[in-house]
Amino acid sequence: MPDEELLYDLADLFKVFADTTRIKMLYALLDSPLCVADIAETVGATQSAVSHQLRILKQAHLVKFQRDGKSIIYSLSDDHVHTMLAQGMEHICE
């Protein structure tokens, strides 16, 4: 059995996936890095809502960002995020 603290952290990670807007945002970032305005347009949310959800995704280490002049460009943190989305989708489609 994993350590209690690790189990707590894992439960918190799965909580992040419990929001449809955050899932849409992660899917939007699968193809290419995007700025807040482009993410908002893609998922049909306000820039304010996207910024709020990005904060949660950053805290969970699911997205990373890079400054490009005045813009901040967001992307998936690593291939594990893609794998989690793909495995989840495969599981529910069986």
Side-chain angles (χ1 to χ4, degrees):
M1 178 71 66
D3 180 64
E4 190 72 25
E5 187 174 331
L6 286 174
L7 293 173
Y8 180 81
D9 290 345
L10 183 60
D12 276 349
L13 175 64
F14 283 126
K15 287 178 190 176
V16 174
F17 286 95
D19 182 88
T20 305
T21 300
R22 289 193 291 265
I23 296 291
K24 287 180 185 178
M25 291 168 60
L26 291 172
Y27 268 101
L29 294 171
L30 277 174
D31 294 328
S32 65
L34 299 169
C35 67
V36 171
D38 291 340
I39 296 170
E41 183 179 329
T42 302
V43 303
T46 65
Q47 289 187 28
S48 176
V50 167
S51 293
H52 173 74
Q53 298 302 337
L54 280 168
R55 182 179 56 81
I56 294 168
L57 293 171
K58 285 188 295 187
Q59 288 174 340
H61 306 287
L62 295 173
V63 298
K64 60 184 177 182
F65 64 94
Q66 182 175 354
R67 187 168 292 280
D68 182 23
K70 292 184 178 182
S71 296
I72 298 177
I73 306 300
Y74 293 89
S75 60
L76 297 181
S77 289
D78 55 38
D79 289 337
H80 293 113
V81 181
H82 179 270
T83 301
M84 287 187 281
L85 289 170
Q87 291 286 316
M89 188 61 76
E90 184 180 327
H91 178 74
I92 62 168
C93 289
E94 287 183 347

